[in-house]
Amino acid sequence: MFGLKTLITNLNGHCLFDASRKTQTEGIIILHEGKYRKTDLEDFLKGGDIKIETEDPYEACMKIEDIIRGTKKHGKVFVACNGRGLGPFLNFVANKVGVDGVFTCYKNKIVRLPILKLDLSDTRMRILKILYLNDLTAREIGEEVKISRAMVYKHLKSLMDLGLVKKSNSLEKYSITNAGKLSIS
C-alpha cells in the first residue's frame, strides 16, 4: 500500500486548514453540493473537489462510499466534516466503511471523533436486504431467511428499535426505512 494520506472533507477555511495539519495530509478531496470557491490551501494539496449532484440521500451515500473506497487503495484516509449539507452523510459513511480517523470542527477547533460501528448480525442484514426489494409479512421473511417466526419477530423488533424497519401501511407487512437503506449501502 502507498503511504499517501488523504483527507476527504466538506470543511472550509480555518477548520479545513487545522484538519489538514492534524492529519498531516498530502492529498485533499473536497465534497460539495453546489458552487464552490477554491482556496490557496486546496491548490497547495493534491486532490480536487467533487460535486455530489443528487437529492437522494441513499445515492449521495453511495457516491461518498465509492470515493472513500477508491481513496483507501492509495493509503490512509481521514474524514473531516461539519454538521451541514453532506457532513452527516460523510460521517456516517466514514464510520460504515472504516477510515483511519474522523474529525469534526467545533467552535473553530478540530476534534477527533471515535469510530462507531453499526453492529448488525448476518440475519438482520439479510432481512434488511430482502425488505429493500419488497415489503413482506413476518411469515414471508421467515421463509426467505429460513428462521422461525418467533426469531423473525425478535429481529424485526431490534431493527424497528434502530429505526431501520417499520410496519408498512397495511400493518401486516414490514418495510425498510431510509436509514435501513443507508445501512446496507
Side-chain angles (χ1 to χ4, degrees), residues 49-143:
D49 61 284
I50 298 174
K51 183 176 181 181
I52 305 293
E53 298 183 90
T54 181
E55 297 291 320
D56 181 1
Y58 176 76
E59 196 174 309
C61 284
M62 294 299 292
K63 289 180 180 186
I64 292 168
E65 186 171 333
D66 288 345
I67 293 164
I68 291 173
R69 287 188 190 281
T71 305
K72 284 174 77 171
K73 294 176 184 174
H74 303 288
K76 291 188 174 189
V77 175
F78 298 92
V79 164
C81 54
N82 58 31
R84 297 184 310 274
L86 294 169
F89 297 119
L90 181 54
N91 186 0
F92 171 77
V93 174
N95 279 288
K96 183 176 171 255
V97 300
V99 295
D100 296 289
V102 176
F103 297 84
T104 193
C105 189
Y106 180 71
K107 297 190 178 196
N108 285 326
K109 292 190 174 152
I110 290 299
V111 178
R112 188 171 190 153
L113 299 172
I115 301 291
L116 306 174
K117 182 163 173 37
L118 183 61
D119 194 20
L120 294 174
S121 69
D122 290 341
T123 302
R124 290 182 182 156
M125 284 300 287
R126 287 194 340 253
I127 291 170
L128 288 173
K129 287 177 181 176
I130 63 168
L131 288 177
Y132 180 74
L133 301 174
N134 291 307
D135 293 356
L136 299 172
T137 65
R139 181 186 58 76
E140 292 168 329
I141 293 169
E143 289 172 1

Side-chain angles (χ1 to χ4, degrees), residues 26-44:
E26 293 129 346
I28 189 167
I29 298 172
I30 306 284
L31 301 182
H32 61 94
E33 301 168 272
K35 290 184 180 180
Y36 177 73
R37 198 187 80 207
K38 221 173 198 181
T39 67
D40 293 339
L41 176 64
E42 290 109 86
D43 286 336
F44 175 71

Side-chain angles (χ1 to χ4, degrees), residues 144-168:
E144 224 19 75
V145 182
K146 311 256 187 286
I147 58 174
S148 72
R149 195 171 309 172
M151 288 304 294
V152 169
Y153 285 117
K154 178 184 173 194
H155 288 299
L156 285 173
K157 180 181 180 334
S158 174
L159 291 168
M160 288 190 307
D161 288 346
L162 291 170
L164 305 178
V165 169
K166 66 179 180 180
K167 282 190 176 181
S168 64

